[in-house]
């Protein structure tokens, strides 16, 4: 891990702005001590760590009691009934004090300068809502994982243009900015973590619509990835997600729909909302983005669900997207796909109308 660097002159914080670090955990004993040691080593002069122990049944409560007894900066809240992961994330935010807040996972690690330098970046950019840093993945032993960091590293979202910020965000493979340092009042203007698939994605999207997200260019955040954890298992552990079978057949498509709804219900001007919704559709189904290839393969499953549920608008939408995606990927033959899809949608419409849908 990098050694703590010296504060650069332009990054010196003239006032110790208080930061609440919210750490939600459930049965996190394996890496919890490492995470707490990493957070307690932060060189920012004013912070607290609020831990929400979500009905843990392993050694987590014992670890937390020991740390809280030794360091007054740690405040532990425990629930005896198991909450969903989004509810537990929101619980630590509700306990926050001071102008800045950050979430911390119970298995990640941070350079000792992480909090200080993120706060300094926010102090230097009054219009920014969040600050993050470069990241690397680590494995169970703490070793750096070889990955395509051009795709997964946090992007620079400091543009004054909301369209440009969202466009850059949609061309990444991860949304790890959610673990950055955020202005507490900006987070209070969002819906926080929602009970749906991809709550971190939707929250970062909301923040990027509110204002710039600045990036400290150095690698100061280390996100732990554990091998062998399937996506379905991760979603089940999150809790609060309904219709899991349908969702797992077309999870990126469901995520696209949630993102589009988030934009449609925002306070942005109507032309900007329409532009952003078009950007999402383009990044999800047409362009060569991390979303693109997988989402295009989901369209058939999403069409089948729309037909089963007598969802005529959905059938029309996903049929058209399938046709456009086909036109892009197979050239002239896509025109035949467009014609077939139009006829199919027409037959579905007549069938649904006969059934009284």
């Amino acid at each position: 891990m990098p050694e703590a660097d010296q504060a650069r002159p332009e990054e010196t914080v003239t006032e110790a702005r208080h930061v609440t670090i919210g750490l939600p955990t459930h049965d996190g004993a394996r890496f919890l001590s490492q995470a707490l040691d990493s957070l307690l080593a932060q060189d920012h002069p004013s912070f607290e760590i609020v831990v929400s122990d979500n009905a843990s049944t392993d050694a987590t409560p014992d670890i937390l009691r020991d740390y809280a007894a030794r360091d007054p900066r740690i405040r532990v809240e425990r629930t005896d009934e198991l909450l969903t992961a989004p509810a537990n994330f929101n619980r630590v935010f509700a306990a926050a004090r001071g102008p800045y807040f950050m979430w911390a996972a119970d298995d990640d690690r941070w350079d000792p300068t992480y909090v200080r330098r993120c706060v300094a970046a926010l102090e230097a950019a009054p219009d920014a809502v969040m600050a993050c840093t470069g990241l690397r993945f680590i494995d169970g032993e703490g070793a750096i994982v070889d990955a395509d960091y051009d795709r997964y590293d946090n992007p620079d979202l400091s543009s004054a243009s909301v369209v440009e910020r969202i466009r850059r965000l949609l061309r990444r493979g991860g949304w790890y900015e959610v673990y950055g340092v955020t202005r507490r009042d900006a987070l209070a203007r969002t819906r926080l973590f929602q009970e749906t698939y991809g709550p971190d994605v939707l929250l970062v999207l909301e923040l990027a619509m509110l204002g710039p997200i600045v990036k400290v260019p150095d690698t100061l955040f280390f996100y732990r990835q554990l091998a062998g954890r399937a996506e379905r298992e991760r979603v089940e552990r999150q809790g609060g997600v309904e219709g899991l079978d349908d969702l797992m057949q077309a999870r990126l498509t469901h995520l696209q729909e949630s993102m589009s709804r988030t934009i449609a219900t925002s306070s942005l001007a109507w032309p900007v909302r329409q532009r952003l919704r078009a950007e999402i559709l383009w990044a999800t189904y047409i362009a060569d983005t991390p979303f693109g290839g997988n989402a295009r393969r989901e369209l058939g499953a999403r069409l089948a669900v729309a037909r089963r549920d007598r969802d005529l608008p959905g059938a029309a939408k996903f049929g058209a997207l399938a046709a456009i995606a086909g036109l892009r990927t197979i050239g002239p033959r896509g025109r035949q796909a467009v014609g077939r899809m139009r006829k199919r949608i027409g037959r579905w419409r007549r069938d649904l109308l006969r059934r009284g849908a």
Side-chain angles (χ1 to χ4, degrees):
M1 302 295 174
E3 297 294 329
D5 63 342
Q6 298 296 316
R8 300 172 185 174
E10 69 273 18
E11 293 176 338
T12 300
V13 181
T14 57
E15 178 185 356
R17 307 299 299 276
H18 189 71
V19 180
T20 296
I21 301 172
L23 194 157
T25 185
H26 169 69
D27 288 349
R30 181 180 176 187
F31 299 109
L32 182 57
S33 293
Q34 294 182 38
L36 288 172
D37 288 342
S38 181
L39 293 170
L40 290 170
Q42 293 299 305
D43 64 6
H44 185 71
S46 178
F47 69 89
E48 64 176 342
I49 302 172
V50 177
V51 184
S52 178
D53 178 9
N54 189 11
S56 292
T57 58
D58 63 358
T60 293
D62 296 330
I63 295 171
L64 293 175
R65 274 192 294 271
D66 177 60
Y67 272 83
R70 290 188 284 115
D71 198 310
R73 292 174 296 179
I74 297 178
R75 181 156 49 105
V76 179
E77 306 284 346
R78 177 175 167 84
T79 175
D80 294 325
E81 294 185 4
L82 186 64
L83 305 174
T84 64
N88 204 31
F89 269 73
N90 293 341
R91 190 167 184 255
V92 289
F93 175 70
R97 300 178 295 204
Y100 294 120
F101 177 84
M102 68 171 271
W103 276 290
D106 60 12
D107 56 357
D108 291 340
R109 294 170 67 176
W110 302 261
D111 182 88
T113 67
Y114 181 85
V115 172
R116 170 174 58 82
R117 295 188 64 190
C118 284
V119 170
L122 285 170
E123 295 282 290
D127 60 335
V129 297
M130 172 188 273
C132 61
T133 77
L135 71 88
R136 288 295 181 267
F137 300 134
I138 56 175
D139 61 19
E141 304 303 318
I144 301 293
V145 174
D146 186 24
D148 181 4
Y149 291 107
D150 287 339
R151 172 177 175 176
Y152 289 108
D153 199 0
N154 287 328
D156 180 357
L157 303 179
S158 60
S159 172
S161 165
V162 63
V163 173
E164 182 60 26
R165 293 197 298 270
I166 303 304
R167 182 185 293 123
R168 291 183 184 179
L169 199 57
L170 292 168
R171 279 149 181 76
R172 311 302 290 191
W175 299 62
Y176 305 102
E177 296 92 344
V178 75
Y179 291 107
V181 176
T182 312
R183 297 189 194 276
R184 185 165 171 257
D185 60 353
L187 272 175
R189 294 166 59 192
T190 72
R191 285 171 286 189
L192 300 175
F193 278 78
Q194 302 174 56
E195 305 274 348
T196 188
Y197 179 73
D200 52 341
V201 173
L202 300 179
L203 179 52
V204 173
L205 177 65
E206 284 194 85
L207 286 169
M209 288 192 292
L210 289 176
I213 298 176
V214 294
K215 179 182 178 181
V216 176
D218 298 322
T219 300
L220 306 177
F221 176 45
F222 303 90
Y223 182 95
R224 197 178 303 270
Q225 286 191 327
L226 299 178
R229 181 177 294 178
E231 181 66 5
R232 185 185 183 102
E233 177 190 358
R234 189 188 69 79
V235 178
E236 288 175 337
R237 284 168 55 88
Q238 171 189 316
V241 179
E242 299 180 357
L244 196 56
D245 289 337
D246 283 347
L247 187 146
M248 294 310 297
Q249 292 183 56
R251 56 189 179 85
L252 294 179
T253 298
H254 281 278
L255 182 57
Q256 171 268 307
E257 292 176 291
S258 295
M259 294 168 69
S260 293
R261 284 194 296 269
T262 297
I263 288 172
T265 56
S266 74
S267 60
L268 295 172
W270 184 86
V272 178
R273 295 200 305 269
Q274 298 306 105
R275 174 71 181 276
L276 291 179
R277 293 174 72 184
E279 290 284 346
I280 287 175
L281 290 175
W282 182 263
T284 307
Y285 301 110
I286 310 302
D288 290 322
T289 66
F291 282 118
N294 290 327
R296 285 193 289 272
R297 287 191 287 272
E298 295 177 352
L299 283 170
R302 192 65 183 86
L303 272 167
V305 171
R307 185 179 185 186
R308 183 199 69 194
D309 294 344
R310 301 184 181 184
D311 177 8
L312 181 59
K317 170 187 171 181
F318 293 108
L321 286 169
I324 293 170
L327 183 66
R328 177 194 176 280
T329 56
I330 61 176
R333 291 178 58 189
R335 295 185 180 88
Q336 298 175 12
V338 171
R340 289 195 299 271
M341 193 56 63
R342 284 175 177 168
K343 292 179 181 178
R344 188 175 303 170
I345 291 172
R347 288 197 300 270
W348 289 349
R349 180 177 182 276
R350 290 191 295 272
D351 181 54
L352 292 171
L353 288 174
R354 282 197 300 269
R355 297 180 185 180

